[in-house]
Every structure is written in structure tokens, then in C-alpha cells.
């Protein structure tokens, strides 16, 4: 065997604490990508052996067995067997066991050990087991399994050096000894052996009442559980929309002053316009959403790390089952309220492919934060600011727009599950992990990774699209005295588009705004602002100025139709791009574009015609 | 810890009261989607497993269910639980 760079892989059941161990072993030196051809995340990092030699450590998706039931488990199996394209077979396998769940985790461990690969076992989370009154004899387990067993506490960095040492030793033994072949046993036999081994290794077990059982008594309580979940969600939303505001303003201001700086420093030229109007304004418009996404993910990562997310999925399962989905879809849909892009990426945790596809297709209907600026401007301009009972009319309209999105998504899911994504009723089988305190380091690392992924993906996409749109808006050049927008390619497209959208109450200015808004919805606001030639200032005055302009140019029916349009319209290139990536082709993003535009057209039309009939035209 | 069988023959996992220990005596695998059957089996929900019904869902249908098996809690739907025949175990005094 050649002495190339050594590869080790972490293998284990879900909830064995693999990720925390991976973070502790590799620190921030991680590379996250996809395995080629599948949308399974490949997490790899560099870990150092005691002699200073680097080892590539791969964190394999959690698995219950080598018979794969999901794309994730398929990747785990293939990597272990050395069949995964683009991944060298690991020299050493590190099986990660949850100390307080040995009986269950030893079943898969035995299956892996049967392969006879060089293996080390990390007896993880021994501290949590002790908290539950469970003391494990690692030596007894080592004797039973016949491979080194190292007790670890990833969070407190306990046992990490010993684990690295054991990996080094196991690696060195590779070339010398032939693989140990163990007899193949059936699943029931394996389970019996696991039971015996687990009980043989337990030194003492006090019947201390487990903390998580008591917490579940409250959090999964039929009457207390759902109100707690909804109260929590309310706090999350509140945080996403109010805590983020100062940071968003700061980022917005930063983009603005950067644009001004370029304007004053560079001589007027096409290149300068491209930089300020195209690159800085366009990319800035997306980066502004970073604070919201970070806050949302802070909550989502915390909910996941504490183990509450699985409970939320449990509580929501019945409601989701009503439209043919399962509790697992709840997390991606929740994320989509900030942005559909991370939402669609997190559908990977859904095992059923039809379920996953349905969730991806309805994710854009969740009212993402990019719609807010559009809603805010239109509502401020057209909806009178008066009280209806206890609540303001403006807030009520905003709330209604959210509800229409959710109801629309549920209705679409119902239809899709009976037509395009028809299949066996999706089940819901999910382990409810133990409650744990999240660690600051793991949270910070998780947030940093999400932020980076968002900035890179959205950034590159937005960059390309804004440049393309800028070119469409600026070429061919207008002759002197002629309007540039009218002369441009985009202007011509808008004139054509206006014919199509006129029946639903849209004018040419709206048609023109819809084109750049394909890049990102909120661009519609700035496009309208430019079209109506409002003097650009800071956002607040711009919105106010624009509101007055809109009021004089649009009827109420048109404004309502415009709002209805934005509830459904797939006005976001990043979402389309991420859908293409996650579904491996253009078929489903194409379908998504088609059905969402059709719905948007119908609903905007229905709104307009109804409003006109009511005399609001 | 001797188990008492026979007293509640024909009862399925979704029907037993919360918190009462039981042993899965038979599973009608044909009633389940193959992937789900495999998943349940991988989680240890198989013939002979000792389980406890921990929680029931909230909304109509009292679905899903949370089942305690060993030191693990597993959420599943009633359709899955209905395929599992259980025998109640005598609680040690």
C-alpha cells in the first residue's frame, strides 16, 4: 500500500456526536463541498497525528446500517467500501458511539467491524452518560469488540490525543497484518450481541430520572407543547425582523458610501456605472440580508444542537401530514422565511425523495425577507394607516400576505403530492435525540459556514445576473436626447412584456421593474424608484418619495395586484439556481418557474379584477 | 424480570396506554413500505424489542407517536405502530 496522505473517516449513527467530535479534531480547518453527482455534503478537515503528520478526516453522514435507505447513507456505505467516486477509501475508520446509547449504536458498529478494516472506536459523550447515571467500562468494551476503544468528550477535548494516537497505530498496522475477517451475523444476532456487550460494559447504572424525559414531558405535552413551539417561533421572527434592522441599515449604508466613493474617485464612464449601479448596488442588495440569515440560523442551529428541532418536527408532523408531507419538511420551510436558498439546501435531511422534491418546490412560497421591502413600500403607499380593532390595518395586510403564502404552499403541496410527486404516503420515522447544551464554538463554526456558503453562492449568482441586467439596460446606447431605458434591450423586452401583464393591471413601468427583479425581488423597489426618477437618498426618504409617486401613478387595484404577484412570482435567480443544483437538472427548476409564474399571474389577475369590480380601480 | 405474555394478545403498539412497558411480539412487515420497514428495523423496532409508548401527537388523529426503546426515543406514525403487535409486560413492583 502506498504511503499517500492518510485518510480517516468518522462513522456512526446519527446523534452519536460525530460533528462535535469532527469539529474538535479538525478545528476550523474544514472543507465543505458536495460528493460528485449527489447532493450529499462532504465534510473533510485536517487532523494531526501525535507525530505531527496530517491526516485527512472525513465526517460521513450518520447512518443506521450499511443497507442504505437514503442518499446520505448510500454515500456512507460507498465511502466505507471504497466505491465512492472522488473519495479515496479511508485507511482508518473511526466508529463514534454514544456512550448512553450503546445497545443501539453497537449494532451498526458490529456491521462496520465485520468488514475487517483498520478501526478505532471513540466512546463519545461519556460525560453525558455519567450525567444520566451511567458509567461505562471502556476496557470491557475494547475486549468485547477487539479494537481500541477510546473514551472521548468532544466538547471538553477529552481523549482527543489518545484517539489520534490510536488512529496512528491502526494506520501503521494496515500494511503489516491482513484484514481480520469476522463471521457475518444476521441483524437479530447482532442486536443480541449488542445487548450483551452493552450490558457487559456498564459498570454502574443508577435509575436516575433522565433530564430529557422530564423536558419532553413539558415540550411534547399535548397542550403545552404547541403553544411553546409557536411562542418560540414568534420570538425567532421577531428577532429576524427587528434585531437585524440596525445591521442591515449599516450594511446598506456601507454599500451606499462605497458606491459614492467610486463615483467621486472615478471619471464618469460606462465602467464606473457598471461598478456602482451594477456590481455594488446588486451585490449589496443581497449582502444586506446576511444579518437576517445569521440570526435565523443562530436559532435554527441552536434548536438543532439542543435537540429541540426534532421535537418541533414531531409537533408539526400531523399538520404537515395533512398535505402529504412530514414533520421533516418543517425545518426547511422555516428557513425559507429568511431565504429560500438555505431552506432548499436544508431539504437534504428529508429521506423520502418525493417529499424532498415537494418541499423544494413549495419553499419559494414562504415569504422570504426579500419580499419585505417590496411589501413595505406598497403597503405604506396604498394601505391607510388606521386601526382595525386592536391591530393596525397595514400590519394586518402584511400578516395576510404571509398567510396567503403559507396557505398557497400547503395547497400546492396537496396538489403536487396527488399529481407530479405522487407516491406512497410519506412516513415519519425519526430519532428524538437527547437534549444537550450547545457549545459556543460549534455554533460559531456553523454560523460561519452558513454565512460563507450564502455569500459565495448568492454572491456569485447575483454578481453575474446584475452585470447581465446592467448590460441589457445599457445597450444599445441611446442617442442624444433619447431615453436610455427605452432604447435598451431591457426596454424593448419590457414593452413586449407590458402587453402580457396589462390584463392583470400592470403598466409598462411595472413590467420594466419585473425584469431586474428576477435577480432579487427587492430590486423591484429600486427599479421603480429609478423609473419614477425619484432623487436617491437614504432608504427611508427614498421609500417615502417613491410611495407618493406610486400613489399618483397607480390605482389601488394595481397595487393590490402587484402585492399578489409577489406572493407567488419566482422572482429570484438564486432560488432557481439552487433548485437546479439540488435536483440535478433543469427539469424541476423549469417546472417551478412555470407553476409559480402561472399562479402569480392568476392571483394578481384575480385580485385586480375583483378590486376593479369593487370599484377600487 | 419475567414477562407476562398472552394477556393482551392482538393489541398493536398504537393502542397501549402511555408509559406501560411492552414487548413487540410480531411485526407485519408487509404492511409497511420496504424502506420504512428497514428504517424501523435499523432503529431496533423489531420482534422482541421492549418498548414504551411515551407521547402521542397533539392534533387530530393523535399522530405521530413517540416510542421509547432502550435509551432512545423514536418518533413514528400510527400506521407504523399499527403493524406492530405487542404484549404488555408486567411492571415489576
Amino acid at each position: 500500500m502506498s504511503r499517500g496522505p492518510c485518510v480517516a473517516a468518522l462513522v456512526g449513527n446519527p446523534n452519536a456526536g460525530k460533528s462535535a467530535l469532527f469539529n474538535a479534531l479538525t478545528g476550523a480547518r474544514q472543507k465543505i463541498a458536495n460528493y460528485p453527482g449527489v447532493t450529499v455534503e462532504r465534510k473533510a478537515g485536517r487532523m494531526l497525528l501525535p507525530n505531527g503528520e496530517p491526516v485527512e478526516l472525513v465526517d460521513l453522514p450518520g447512518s443506521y446500517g450499511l443497507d442504505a435507505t437514503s442518499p446520505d447513507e448510500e454515500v456512507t456505505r460507498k465511502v466505507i467500501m471504497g466505491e465512492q467516486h472522488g473519495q479515496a477509501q479511508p485507511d482508518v475508520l473511526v466508529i463514534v458511539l454514544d456512550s448512553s446509547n450503546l445497545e443501539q449504536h453497537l449494532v451498526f458498529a458490529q456491521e462496520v467491524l465485520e468488514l475487517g478494516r483498520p478501526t478505532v472506536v471513540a466512546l463519545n459523550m461519556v460525560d453525558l452518560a455519567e450525567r444520566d447515571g451511567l458509567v461505562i467500562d471502556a476496557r470491557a468494551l475494547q475486549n468485547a469488540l477487539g479494537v481500541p476503544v477510546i473514551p472521548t468528550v468532544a466538547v471538553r477535548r477529552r481523549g482527543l490525543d489518545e484517539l489520534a494516537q490510536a488512529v496512528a497505530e491502526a494506520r501503521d498496522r494496515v500494511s503489516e497484518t491482513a484484514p481480520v475477517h469476522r463471521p457475518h451475523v444476521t441483524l437479530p444476532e447482532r442486536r443480541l450481541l449488542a445487548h450483551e456487550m452493552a450490558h457487559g460494559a456498564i459498570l454502574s447504572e443508577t435509575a436516575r430520572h433522565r433530564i430529557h424525559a422530564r423536558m419532553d414531558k413539558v415540550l411534547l405535552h399535548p397542550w403545552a407543547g404547541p403553544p411553546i413551539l409557536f411562542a418560540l417561533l414568534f420570538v425567532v421572527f421577531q428577532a429576524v425582523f427587528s434585531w437585524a434592522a440596525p445591521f442591515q441599515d449599516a450594511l446598506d449604508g456601507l454599500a451606499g458610501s462605497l458606491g459614492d466613493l467610486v463615483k467621486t474617485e472615478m471619471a464618469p464612464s460606462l465602467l464606473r456605472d457598471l461598478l456602482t449601479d451594477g456590481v455594488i448596488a446588486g451585490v449589496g442588495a443581497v449582502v444586506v440580508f446576511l444579518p437576517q440569515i445569521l440570526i435565523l440560523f443562530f436559532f435554527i442551529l441552536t434548536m438543532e444542537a439542543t435537540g429541540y428541532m426534532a421535537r418541533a418536527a414531531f409537533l408539526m408532523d400531523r399538520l404537515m401530514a395533512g398535505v402529504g408531507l412530514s414533520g421533516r419538511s418543517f425545518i426547511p420551510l422555516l428557513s425559507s422565511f429568511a431565504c429560500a436558498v438555505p431552506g432548499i439546501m436544508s431539504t437534504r435531511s428529508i429521506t423520502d425523495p418525493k417529499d424532498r422534491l415537494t418541499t423544494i418546490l413549495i419553499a419559494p412560497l414562504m415569504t422570504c425577507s426579500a419580499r419585505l421591502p417590496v411589501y413595505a413600500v406598497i403597503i405604506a403607499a396604498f394601505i391607510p394607516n388606521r386601526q382595525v380593532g386592536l391591530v393596525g390595518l397595514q400590519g394586518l395586510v402584511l400578516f395576510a400576505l404571509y398567510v396567503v403564502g403559507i396557505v398557497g404552499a400547503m395547497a400546492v403541496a396537496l396538489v403536487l403530492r396527488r399529481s407530479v410527486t405522487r407516491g406512497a404516503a410519506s412516513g415519519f420515522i425519526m430519532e428524538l435525540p437527547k437534549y444537550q447544551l450547545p457549545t459556543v464554538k460549534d455554533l460559531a463554526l456553523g454560523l460561519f459556514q452558513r454565512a460563507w456558503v450564502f455569500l459565495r453562492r448568492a454572491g456569485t449568482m447575483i454578481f453575474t445576473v446584475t452585470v447581465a441586467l446592467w448590460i441589457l439596460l445599457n445597450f444599445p446606447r441611446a442617442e442624444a436626447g433619447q431615453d436610455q431605458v427605452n432604447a435598451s434591450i431591457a426596454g424593448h423586452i419590457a414593452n413586449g412584456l407590458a402587453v402580457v401583464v396589462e390584463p392583470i393591471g400592470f403598466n409598462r413601468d411595472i413590467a420594466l421593474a419585473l425584469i431586474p427583479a428576477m435577480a432579487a425581488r427587492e430590486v423591484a423597489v429600486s427599479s421603480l424608484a429609478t423609473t419614477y426618477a425619484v432623487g436617491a437618498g437614504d432608504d427611508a426618504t427614498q421609500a417615502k418619495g417613491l410611495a407618493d409617486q406610486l400613489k399618483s401613478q397607480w390605482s389601488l387595484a394595481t397595487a393590490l395586484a402587484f402585492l399578489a404577484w409577489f406572493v407567488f412570482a419566482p422572482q429570484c435567480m438564486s432560488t432557481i439556481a439552487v433548485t437546479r443544483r439540488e435536483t440535478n437538472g433543469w427539469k424541476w427548476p423549469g417546472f417551478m418557474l412555470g407553476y409559480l409564474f402561472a399562479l402569480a399571474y392568476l392571483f394578481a389577475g384575480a385580485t385586480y379584477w375583483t378590486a376593479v369590480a369593487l370599484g377600487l380601480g | 424480570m419475567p414477562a407476562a405474555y398472552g394477556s393482551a394478545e392482538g393489541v398493536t403498539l398504537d393502542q397501549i396506554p402511555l408509559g406501560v412497558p411492552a414487548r413487540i411480539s410480531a411485526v407485519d412487515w408487509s404492511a409497511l413500505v420496504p424502506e420504512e420497514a428497514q428504517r424501523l428495523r435499523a432503529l431496533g423496532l423489531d420482534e422482541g424489542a421492549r418498548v414504551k409508548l411515551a407521547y402521542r401527537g397533539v392534533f387530530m388523529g393523535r399522530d405521530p407517536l413517540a416510542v421509547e426503546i432502550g435509551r432512545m426515543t423514536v418518533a413514528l406514525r400510527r400506521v407504523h405502530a399499527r403493524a406492530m403487535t405487542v404484549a404488555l409486560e408486567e411492571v415489576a413492583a
Side-chain angles (χ1 to χ4, degrees):
Chain A
M1 185 177 246
S2 75
R3 272 292 159 100
C6 178
V7 179
L10 294 181
V11 198
N13 285 51
N15 305 313
K18 268 182 329 87
S19 296
L21 192 62
F22 178 75
N23 286 346
L25 287 168
T26 60
R29 292 163 292 188
Q30 300 182 3
K31 269 192 356 205
I32 299 179
N34 269 9
Y35 285 100
V38 285
T39 50
V40 176
E41 216 163 61
R42 178 183 186 273
K43 273 174 85 180
R46 210 159 57 100
M47 128 187 188
L48 294 179
L49 294 183
N51 64 3
E53 187 192 331
V55 167
E56 182 177 51
L57 188 67
V58 184
D59 185 15
L60 293 178
S63 203
Y64 289 103
L66 289 177
D67 295 326
T69 55
S70 71
D72 281 27
E73 292 189 346
E74 179 71 11
V75 163
T76 299
R77 189 187 67 80
K78 280 187 166 170
V79 172
I80 293 176
M81 304 306 242
E83 293 165 5
Q84 176 64 48
H85 180 63
Q87 170 69 58
Q89 185 172 25
D91 301 293
V92 180
L93 297 175
V94 180
I95 299 179
V96 186
L97 301 176
D98 173 4
S99 303
S100 43
N101 205 357
L102 278 184
E103 192 170 335
Q104 174 68 26
H105 286 195
L106 280 172
V107 178
F108 180 42
Q110 290 179 75
E111 200 179 352
V112 175
L113 282 169
E114 267 173 29
L115 302 172
R117 305 277 311 156
T119 308
V120 174
V121 169
L123 186 60
N124 202 21
M125 304 197 279
V126 282
D127 58 331
L128 283 181
E130 279 162 24
R131 185 193 72 182
D132 289 350
L134 197 64
V135 186
I136 309 276
D137 183 358
R139 192 156 291 276
L141 196 59
Q142 178 163 326
N143 290 337
L145 291 173
V147 293
V149 174
I150 318 289
T152 54
V153 180
V155 194
R156 283 177 232 299
R157 310 196 57 81
R158 245 168 72 191
L160 298 187
D161 296 338
E162 291 87 340
L163 188 62
Q165 180 64 36
V167 169
E169 283 167 14
R171 198 273 316 260
D172 290 338
R173 255 180 279 133
V174 174
S175 39
E176 290 150 29
T177 55
V180 200
H181 277 293
R182 289 159 193 262
H184 180 78
V185 292
T186 61
L187 181 61
E189 286 171 319
R190 226 179 266 145
R191 203 172 282 142
L192 211 64
L193 279 170
H195 179 78
E196 278 170 21
M197 276 191 272
H199 281 262
I202 292 173
L203 277 180
S204 71
E205 184 176 14
T206 41
R208 200 184 300 175
H209 212 71
R210 282 165 299 161
I211 296 170
H212 85 264
R214 249 185 286 171
M215 291 183 65
D216 271 344
K217 276 225 154 56
V218 179
L219 296 176
L220 294 184
H221 189 276
W223 300 115
I228 293 173
L229 173 61
F230 290 122
L232 190 71
L233 292 182
F234 181 78
V235 172
V236 172
F237 273 88
Q238 202 56 33
V240 165
F241 292 116
S242 60
W243 299 0
F247 299 103
Q248 286 187 294
D249 292 346
L251 280 175
D252 211 28
L254 199 69
S257 34
L258 194 64
D260 290 344
L261 187 75
V262 173
K263 259 196 187 113
T264 51
E265 291 299 312
M266 280 177 73
S269 65
L270 264 183
L271 181 66
R272 190 192 75 172
D273 291 347
L274 172 66
L275 274 178
T276 54
D277 302 345
V279 179
I280 296 175
V283 176
V286 176
V287 173
V288 161
F289 291 100
L290 188 62
Q292 286 193 333
I293 288 182
L294 284 183
I295 291 175
L296 184 79
F297 270 107
F298 167 77
F299 282 102
I300 287 177
L301 288 172
T302 308
M303 281 163 84
E304 267 170 5
T306 51
Y308 184 71
M309 200 52 112
R311 273 78 184 179
F314 180 86
L315 291 172
M316 294 303 289
D317 180 63
R318 186 62 193 85
L319 289 183
M320 307 298 286
V323 294
L325 292 173
S326 85
R328 280 185 191 271
S329 298
F330 174 67
I331 303 161
L333 294 179
L334 180 65
S335 310
S336 300
F337 279 104
C339 176
V341 173
I344 288 172
M345 291 193 308
S346 62
T347 57
R348 290 173 184 186
S349 61
I350 303 172
T351 40
D352 184 89
K354 297 255 172 75
D355 247 21
R356 176 162 181 262
L357 182 59
T358 314
T359 311
I360 290 176
L361 289 174
I362 63 169
L365 286 171
M366 299 294 122
T367 304
C368 69
S369 52
R371 286 175 173 98
L372 259 189
V374 182
Y375 289 172
V377 165
I378 305 296
I379 288 176
F382 291 95
I383 308 296
N385 188 12
R386 62 176 152 83
Q387 291 291 114
V388 180
L390 287 173
V391 289
L393 185 60
Q394 293 187 335
L396 204 62
V397 171
L398 184 65
F399 180 72
L401 291 169
Y402 271 84
V403 171
V404 171
I406 296 170
V407 171
M410 295 301 119
V412 169
L414 202 63
V415 172
L416 289 181
R417 287 298 270 154
R418 275 158 183 70
S419 53
V420 189
T421 59
R422 183 174 32 216
S426 58
F428 175 65
I429 302 167
M430 191 179 189
E431 186 183 336
L432 301 180
K434 284 193 300 293
Y435 288 106
Q436 271 181 51
L437 277 179
T439 63
V440 176
K441 198 185 153 196
D442 287 347
L443 272 183
L445 201 59
L447 275 182
F448 172 76
Q449 284 165 353
R450 307 287 158 142
W452 178 242
V453 165
F454 171 76
L455 284 180
R456 201 183 54 200
R457 294 214 179 108
T460 47
M461 183 70 210
I462 290 289
F463 178 84
T464 320
V465 171
T466 25
V467 170
L469 277 171
W470 183 86
I471 292 171
L472 287 182
L473 275 164
N474 282 280
F475 294 94
R477 300 300 296 165
E479 287 166 26
Q482 207 189 343
D483 180 30
Q484 174 58 42
V485 172
N486 265 331
S488 70
I489 302 172
H492 287 294
I493 299 174
N495 286 332
L497 204 59
V499 183
V500 182
V501 294
E502 234 154 50
I504 59 171
F506 288 8
N507 52 35
R508 198 206 74 123
D509 303 327
I510 297 179
L512 190 61
L514 290 182
I515 301 171
M518 277 306 295
R521 295 176 173 89
E522 67 279 14
V523 177
V525 175
S526 58
S527 312
L528 285 171
T530 323
T531 315
Y532 289 121
V534 179
D538 65 306
D539 248 2
T541 58
Q542 187 182 344
K544 195 157 175 284
L546 179 59
D548 293 336
Q549 284 285 342
L550 290 175
K551 241 191 276 191
S552 60
Q553 307 265 355
W554 295 10
S555 68
L556 178 57
T558 295
L560 291 177
F562 190 67
L563 286 177
W565 172 271
F566 268 89
V567 171
F568 295 98
Q571 298 260 318
C572 174
M573 282 292 181
S574 309
T575 304
I576 303 301
V578 79
T579 305
R580 194 205 71 82
R581 233 173 40 95
E582 295 293 315
T583 57
N584 282 322
W586 280 110
K587 181 181 167 195
W588 293 111
F591 176 79
M592 183 193 265
L593 266 174
Y595 102 82
L596 285 175
F597 269 133
L599 273 185
Y601 194 86
L602 278 175
F603 271 82
T607 309
Y608 180 71
W609 303 319
T610 313
V612 169
L614 292 171
L616 303 171
Chain B
M1 11 174 175
Y5 288 100
S7 56
E9 204 63 56
V11 176
T12 51
L13 181 56
D14 59 312
Q15 295 169 327
I16 59 173
L18 293 185
V20 177
R23 191 185 280 268
I24 300 178
S25 50
V27 182
D28 179 11
W29 295 113
S30 64
L32 300 166
V33 182
E35 292 81 37
E36 292 182 355
Q38 199 183 332
R39 190 153 281 270
L40 288 169
R41 215 186 308 216
L43 284 161
L45 286 160
D46 204 342
E47 276 152 41
R50 305 169 124 200
V51 292
K52 232 190 256 181
L53 200 56
Y55 303 97
R56 279 180 215 275
V58 191
F59 302 103
M60 56 292 204
R62 316 222 66 192
D63 212 8
L65 306 169
V67 175
E68 262 178 45
I69 167 163
R71 285 181 166 263
M72 200 169 51
T73 312
V74 176
L76 43 80
R77 292 248 178 98
R78 264 179 61 183
V79 280
H80 306 132
R82 216 172 285 148
M84 300 181 181
T85 309
V86 295
L88 295 183
E89 294 206 324
E90 227 163 50
V91 192

